[in-house]
Amino acid sequence: MSLSITLTLNGVTRAIAFEDARVTLLDLLRDRLDLPGTKKGCDRGQCGACTVLVNGRRTTACLTLAATLEGAEVTTIEGLAPEGTLHPVQQAFIDNDAFQCGYCTPGQIMSAVGLIAEGRAGTDPERIREGMSGNICRCAAYHGITLAVQQATRSMVHPDTAAKTGDAA
Amino acid sequence: MPEIAQPFRFGSNAGQPVTRRDGIAKVTGAAAFAADTAPAGLLHALCAPAAIARGRVTHLDIARAESHPGVVRVLTPANRPFLEGDPAEKPTMFSFRIEVLQDDSVRYAGQPIAMVLAETPEAAAEGVRLLNPQYAAETPRVTLDEEAAYPVEPGGFGRPAATLHGDIEAAHGAATRALDVTYTTAPQYHNAMETHAVVAEWTGDRLHLALPSQALAMSCAAYAWFFGIPVENVTLSSPYLGGGFGSKAIPTGPQVLAILAARVLGRPVKLMLPRAQMFGPTGHRGATRQRLRLGIDDDFALTALDHDSLSETSSFDDFHEPAANASQGLYAAQALRSTHRGVRLDVGTPGPMRAPGEASGSAALECAMDEMAEQAGLDPLAFRLLNYAETEPGTGRPYSSKALRDCYRLGAERFGWAHRPLTPRQMRDAEGMLVGWGMGTALFPAPMFQAQARATLNPDGTALVETAAADMGQGAWTALAQIAADALGLPLEKVTFHSGHSSLPDGGVAGGSGHTATAGGALHAAGTDVIRQLAEIATADPASPLHGAGNARVAARDGQLFLVDDETRAEAFEAILARHGGQSLTGGGSAARPPEDAQRHAMSSHGAVFAEVKVDPELCQVRVTRLVGAFAAGRIINPRLADSQLYGGMIWGIGMALHEEAHHDPRTGRVLNADLAGYHVPVNADVTGLEVLTVHEEDPHVNILGIKGVGEIGVTGTVGAIGNAIWHATGKRIRRFPIRIEDLLAE
Ligand code: FES
Ligand code: FES
C-alpha cells in the first residue's frame, strides 16, 4: 500500500509518501523524515515526550496516524525557531535549568508553547503545573519547567520584561 | 622542578552556576540520543516478551511472523546464532546473568522469548504479534511470602555483608523504651524517559554501538566478551543518555540480542525497548520488608539499632536492595546491627536504582526514628540531635566532614519547624485539610571509582580535555568542564570538552554519586600535569619571566602562569608555547581513592528534609505541599545543576512515598501496570513548594576536589519525612510505601 499526504511541516508544504497505513506521525517524523528531535517515551499517549503542534494544538504524535493529517500544519522542535535562534520557551528552559537529561525536553517545550498559546495558565504556577502535567519528566525538572513557562509567558506577552526570570514557583 | 600550587582553589569556573553546555542541543532537538541515529540499511528489532513469569515457551508461530511483509528474520532459541559469551556468566563486576534466547524457559514476565527483525518498526511490531506464543506455565512466585528467606551471602555488588557492633539483643532487652516495627517498600522501576536502546553495526569483526551507557569502558569490555572480540574492536558512542538512574550501567539481554542480530544479518540493527519491556529485563528496585528494633535509655540515647531487610531477587541471580546499610552510619547507637535476607522470585534481577539501599532503608529508618521519638515524647528533630553521631557509629572513625547539624538548623529554620505541635492532628488549613509536618535525615555515601583523562593545551591558548564520562542529566558535560578549566587555569569558554565516546580515556562509572569526584579528579590531574609540564618549560626558559623560579610555587590562572609569591612574574600560555616550537602539550591523569584514605575516614553526604502534607479528612487524598531539603555534600561545582539533582532526588522521594509501585498479577506473574499510565511517577502538578538549600563543606579528606556527590541523596530522608508528616496530619502510622488512600481510609 502506498499513501500520500500533503503536509505543512515546519513551515514547508510538501507531499509525503509512505508505505504503511499503520505509520504514526511520530514514526513518520523519526524514521522517515529524519526529524528525530521528537522523542518516543511510551508510544501510547501517556508521557508527552512526542508532543508536537498540529494546527497549533499540542498533540501526541504517537497517537496520531500519519494518514489522518492531510492538509495539516505540523510544527516540531526542529521548526520552532529559525536556525541559529531560540524561541523564548527554549531560552527560558536553558535559563531555568528546566531539564536534565533532555529527553522529555522537546515534548515539554512544544507543550509549553501550546499551553502559552492556549492562554489559560498565564503566569500562575498552579495552572502551569496542571497544564504541563501531561508531560512526564523522570529527571523531575518540574521546578525549572514551571519557572521557564512563567518566564517565557512573560516575555512573549510583555516582551519588555523578557530578561526577567520566573517568580518562585 | 617547579612545584605546582596544589590544590588549585578554585578560580573562576568551579562554583559558578553556569548553564548547561549541552543546553542548546537539548532544547533544539539536535541532541542525538542512541535511537535517533539511523545508519543506511537499518533493520528494526523488537523482542517478543514472555507473558508468563515461570514455565516454558511451547510454541511460536514463526512461519506466520516471517511471512508478514517486511519481516526479515525471527530469532528464537531454536535458531539463535552462536554467542561467544555464556549468558550464565558475568563479564564484569557490574553485570548480571542475562536472557538471550539460550533456551525455552521463562524466568520472569517480560523476558525476551524471540526477536523479530524487520524493515520497519510497524512490520516488527506486527511480526511480534503474529508469533502468538503458547506456554507451559507454572505458578509464579512474585511476593516476599512465597519462598523461604535465606541470609544473603556477602559478595560485593548487591550482596551486602551483615554488620554487628555490640551486643544487640542485650541492649534491646535492657532498653528503657523499645520499638519493634516492620516497614515495607514496593518494587519500583527506573523508567528513564529514554527506554533502553541500541543501534549496532558491524564492519568485519569490529562493532560500533550507539548505546546509552553509564559506564562506557566497562560496557565495551562486556560486549567484547559476549561477542568474542578484542575490546579495542568495540566503539561505543553515548553522548546523551535520556536518564539512567542506575539502569544503564549494565548490559541487558535485548541489547545483546540486537547486536547479535546485526552480526548474523550483516545489517545495522536498531532496538528501542517499548515502555512495557522496561518492566523486566532492565532491572528494578526490589521490594523490601524491613524490621527495625530500636531501644533508648533514660536519657533518650539510642542503645540499640537493629535493622533487618528482607528483599527479593531473581531465581537466577543476586541483587539484594542493601536497605539495612542505611542504618550503619547515621545515629550514635551503642549496639548496631544490619542484616539482609533474600527471597528468590520469578522476577527479573533487581539492580541499583537511584540511592540503592539508602532510599528504601532510609524510608524505614526515618519513620522508625519518628516512632521512637513519639514514644519518648520528644520532638523528632531533638531526638535526632540527641543521637547525633560525632564519629561513625560502630567503628568510631572520624567523618571526612559532616555539616549535618547545619543542615538540621538551616532546614528547620526555613521550614518553620519550631512551630510544630508535638502531637498529631493538631493543624488544619483554611479548607479544613489536615496538615502535618515530618522530617527525615538524608544520607548517602561518597564513593569514588576509577577514571582517566587527557588534557591538551594548544599553542593558541585553548585546550581540549577528554574523558569518556557519561552525562545522563546530572550535568557532567558542564561540571566536569568547569573542573578541567580550573585545573588548566583557563576560562571555561577556552576549553573544549570531549566525552561520551569509548575512544576517549576511561571516564569510569556514572553511579554511586561518585562520577563528578572521580572523572573530575582525573581531569584535574590531567590539567595539572599539563601545567606542570608548562611550568618546567617556562622556568627553564631564559626568555620567560618565570625563568629560574626553581621551587617557588607556580600556578595557572586566566591563561597565564605566575609565581604565587610574586604575581608580577607571569606569562601567557601562548607566549611560553610559542618559544617552545609552537607545539601543543598533552598531559594525562587518573583518579581513584587510595585505600588508606577510605580506611581513615567515613565519607558521606548528609542532609535534612522537612515535609508538609495536607490530607483530605474525608477522602484521605494526600498532597505534599512543602518540601525543604538542606544538604551538605562537600564542595558544589555548579550550584544550578546541583540544585536540580537535589530537586530531582526529592521528587523521586515523593514518588516513592506516594506513587510508585509495580503490581504483579499473582496468576501470571506479569506486572499489571507496566506502563506510564498505571505505574505512577510524579508529574508537575505533584510538585509544589520545593526548596533546596546547600551547606558548604570544606572537605580535605574525601578527595582532592572536596566533592561528595549530589545525585542520589535527595531521595533519602524525603520518603520518611513524608511518611512522618502523614502521621502528624492524621495520627495514622502507615508502615507500607507507597502510602495509599486506602491505607489511610482503613481503620
Ligand atoms: S511517546 Fe507519545 S505520549 Fe509518550
Ligand atoms: S529531562 Fe530527563 S526526563 Fe525530563
Side-chain angles (χ1 to χ4, degrees):
Chain A
M1 188 190 331
S2 179
L3 297 151
S4 173
I5 53 171
T6 304
L7 203 63
T8 303
L9 178 57
N10 293 333
V12 180
T13 305
R14 50 200 277 194
I16 292 165
F18 50 99
E19 75 287 3
D20 194 324
R22 296 169 297 192
V23 174
T24 62
L25 173 58
L26 179 57
D27 290 333
L28 182 76
L29 294 169
R30 288 183 55 80
D31 292 324
R32 290 158 177 91
L33 301 178
D34 197 24
L35 289 173
T38 305
K39 298 292 182 256
K40 184 182 285 191
C42 69
D43 219 17
R44 295 180 165 213
Q46 297 170 346
C47 76
C50 64
T51 306
V52 297
L53 299 180
V54 176
N55 300 324
R57 288 176 56 89
R58 32 188 187 153
T59 302
T60 45
C62 69
L63 287 189
T64 307
L65 287 172
T68 65
L69 290 173
E70 175 61 35
E73 206 174 297
V74 173
T75 308
T76 72
I77 190 75
E78 291 94 341
L80 191 57
E83 184 84 41
T85 65
L86 294 179
H87 185 279
V89 173
Q90 291 172 315
Q91 185 62 55
F93 266 62
I94 294 177
D95 293 345
N96 293 281
D97 209 37
F99 53 91
Q100 295 181 22
C101 76
Y103 195 81
C104 73
T105 309
Q108 301 278 2
I109 289 173
M110 298 313 288
S111 191
V113 171
L115 177 69
I116 293 168
E118 288 158 28
R120 281 181 297 150
T123 56
D124 176 29
E126 202 58 42
R127 286 176 177 223
I128 292 171
R129 285 187 204 111
E130 200 64 45
M132 292 298 293
S133 279
N135 292 79
I136 293 175
C137 176
R138 186 54 158 161
C139 299
Y142 298 127
H143 182 76
I145 290 168
T146 305
L147 292 173
V149 176
Q150 284 182 311
Q151 174 185 324
T153 304
R154 216 173 274 123
S155 73
M156 290 165 74
V157 180
H158 313 285
D160 45 311
T161 57
K164 202 169 161 243
T165 48
D167 297 333
Chain B
M1 193 178 82
E3 179 196 333
I4 302 305
Q6 275 283 20
F8 289 85
R9 289 279 172 204
F10 272 92
S12 41
N13 300 299
Q16 299 301 314
V18 295
T19 55
R20 288 171 197 266
R21 297 190 112 201
D22 49 2
I24 289 179
K26 284 178 174 176
V27 300
T28 57
F33 293 82
D36 298 345
T37 57
L42 189 70
L43 284 173
H44 296 265
L46 189 63
C47 293
I52 61 165
R54 186 183 184 192
R56 279 187 324 109
V57 181
T58 55
H59 181 73
L60 291 165
D61 204 341
I62 297 161
R64 222 166 141 227
E66 283 191 336
S67 68
H68 184 75
V71 172
V72 170
R73 185 74 64 89
V74 178
L75 298 182
T76 71
N79 70 353
R80 199 266 266 154
F82 179 68
L83 183 66
E84 283 80 356
D86 177 355
E89 302 287 322
K90 306 189 204 188
T92 66
M93 66 181 274
F94 287 118
S95 43
F96 294 114
R97 300 190 175 108
I98 59 171
E99 302 70 40
V100 281
L101 306 176
Q102 57 265 49
D103 54 40
D104 62 5
S105 66
V106 175
R107 308 195 280 191
Y108 58 88
Q111 173 193 320
I113 56 171
M115 175 174 268
V116 173
L117 287 307
E119 300 287 350
T120 64
E122 293 78 19
E126 190 63 12
V128 165
R129 198 185 67 78
L130 291 171
L131 282 172
N132 192 26
Q134 307 296 311
Y135 304 93
E138 293 171 50
T139 308
R141 301 156 298 183
V142 288
T143 71
L144 291 174
D145 295 311
E146 280 170 297
E147 283 291 308
Y150 55 84
V152 168
E153 190 73 30
F157 188 51
R159 293 165 65 177
T163 61
L164 172 65
H165 301 282
D167 187 340
I168 194 84
E169 294 300 341
H172 195 255
T176 308
R177 288 193 176 79
L179 184 80
D180 185 345
V181 287
T182 299
Y183 278 82
T184 63
T185 61
Q188 300 180 322
Y189 285 77
H190 306 73
N191 276 307
M193 288 309 293
E194 176 204 38
T195 62
H196 282 49
V198 58
V199 176
E201 198 172 3
W202 289 86
T203 26
D205 67 348
R206 303 191 76 85
L207 173 60
H208 312 278
L209 298 171
L211 182 149
S213 173
Q214 292 178 235
L216 279 78
M218 204 184 314
S219 296
C220 285
Y223 292 114
W225 180 88
F226 279 117
F227 293 97
I229 55 176
V231 66
E232 53 276 12
N233 284 17
V234 183
T235 54
L236 190 155
S237 166
S238 179
Y240 302 101
L241 293 88
F245 313 115
S247 71
K248 286 177 182 160
I250 295 158
T252 68
Q255 287 165 313
V256 171
L257 276 176
I259 300 167
L260 185 60
R263 183 165 75 177
V264 58
L265 295 172
R267 290 174 63 177
V269 167
K270 178 190 289 194
L271 171 78
M272 189 181 194
L273 289 191
R275 178 58 57 186
Q277 293 183 24
M278 295 292 286
F279 292 77
T282 61
H284 68 287
R285 193 196 304 284
T288 71
R289 179 181 300 147
Q290 303 172 53
R291 183 176 178 198
L292 278 127
R293 297 194 307 155
L294 274 59
I296 53 175
D297 65 14
D298 292 336
D299 300 324
F300 311 112
L302 273 170
T303 51
L305 173 51
D306 188 15
H307 194 158
D308 174 68
S309 174
L310 172 68
S311 62
E312 67 184 60
T313 190
S314 66
S315 64
F316 53 93
D317 209 344
D318 294 86
F319 185 94
H320 292 283
E321 176 79 1
N325 286 1
S327 291
Q328 279 305 296
L330 197 41
Y331 298 113
Q334 290 157 31
L336 188 62
R337 179 164 68 180
S338 71
T339 46
H340 291 89
R341 291 173 304 123
V343 165
R344 293 204 180 279
L345 302 180
D346 300 307
V347 298
T349 306
M353 177 164 157
R354 200 173 195 174
E358 277 75 15
S360 326
S362 153
L365 171 65
E366 292 308 312
C367 290
M369 286 294 286
D370 207 69
E371 293 201 53
M372 195 76 253
E374 178 198 352
Q375 237 197 75
L378 287 177
D379 171 83
L381 175 55
F383 178 55
R384 283 168 174 83
L385 286 168
L386 282 172
N387 288 285
Y388 192 88
E390 303 292 351
T391 58
E392 187 181 50
T395 69
R397 282 190 304 177
Y399 289 101
S400 62
S401 62
K402 183 179 179 182
L404 176 56
R405 260 186 230 286
D406 295 330
C407 296
Y408 284 139
R409 187 178 42 75
L410 260 178
E413 270 169 29
R414 183 63 63 109
F415 186 84
W417 183 258
H419 306 292
R420 176 183 178 276
L422 202 54
T423 51
R425 287 189 79 97
Q426 300 299 309
M427 300 192 291
R428 298 240 181 186
D429 75 357
E431 272 95 58
M433 297 290 148
L434 296 165
V435 179
W437 291 356
M439 56 110 23
T441 310
L443 175 89
F444 198 78
M448 278 181 79
F449 303 98
Q450 291 177 352
Q452 279 134 38
R454 185 165 54 225
T456 304
L457 182 63
N458 298 314
D460 65 356
T462 64
L464 170 66
V465 296
E466 302 168 291
T467 186
D471 195 332
M472 49 187 170
Q474 341 82 299
W477 274 37
T478 311
L480 292 178
Q482 288 175 268
I483 291 169
D486 273 349
L488 286 160
L490 283 172
L492 193 54
E493 58 280 6
K494 291 217 172 170
V495 176
T496 302
F497 177 55
H498 282 174
S499 187
H501 196 282
S502 65
S503 61
L504 305 173
D506 177 4
V509 181
S513 299
H515 198 40
T516 309
T518 313
L523 287 162
H524 175 82
T528 305
D529 185 33
V530 166
I531 295 302
R532 184 189 50 73
Q533 295 177 42
L534 191 68
E536 271 174 35
I537 294 167
T539 54
D541 179 352
S544 171
L546 297 162
H547 179 247
N551 277 339
R553 295 179 0 127
V554 177
R557 189 174 59 215
D558 285 337
Q560 291 203 324
L561 219 53
F562 63 94
L563 294 193
V564 174
D565 301 330
D566 178 7
E567 295 201 14
T568 61
R569 289 179 66 186
E571 190 172 26
F573 297 169
E574 295 98 306
I576 301 168
L577 289 174
R579 284 195 309 277
H580 198 68
Q583 300 288 314
S584 57
L585 279 183
T586 298
S590 62
R593 178 172 292 148
E596 55 286 6
D597 287 13
Q599 288 299 319
R600 218 171 286 139
H601 288 98
M603 303 176 188
S604 285
S605 297
H606 296 92
V609 181
F610 298 83
E612 176 184 271
V613 301
K614 294 190 176 176
V615 184
D616 185 307
E618 255 94 64
L619 303 174
C620 291
Q621 195 190 30
V622 180
R623 305 267 302 165
V624 176
T625 47
R626 283 196 300 139
L627 208 49
V628 175
F631 300 94
R635 199 157 131 271
I636 300 298
I637 299 302
N638 184 320
R640 179 191 303 265
L641 308 186
D643 284 0
S644 288
Q645 284 295 290
L646 294 166
Y647 280 127
M650 287 163 68
I651 295 168
W652 271 54
I654 297 176
M656 187 164 180
L658 298 177
H659 305 141
E660 293 188 38
E661 174 168 25
H663 296 279
H664 286 275
D665 172 10
R667 265 177 329 119
T668 62
R670 256 148 74 180
V671 175
L672 288 167
N673 54 339
D675 60 42
L676 292 172
Y679 183 88
H680 292 164
V681 300
V683 297
N684 206 324
D686 294 313
V687 174
T688 168
L690 232 62
E691 205 170 339
V692 161
L693 311 164
T694 44
V695 175
H696 179 79
E697 285 176 324
E698 269 311 313
D699 190 329
H701 307 296
V702 66
N703 50 57
I704 191 165
L705 297 167
I707 296 171
K708 288 181 172 174
V710 291
E712 300 172 85
I713 187 169
V715 191
T716 73
T718 304
V719 187
I722 292 170
N724 295 334
I726 290 173
W727 168 78
H728 192 240
T730 64
K732 290 184 181 169
R733 283 284 175 200
I734 310 301
R735 299 193 181 90
R736 170 192 184 287
F737 290 107
I739 294 176
R740 304 165 308 170
I741 289 174
E742 48 269 45
D743 300 324
L744 290 164
L745 283 169
E747 271 323 301

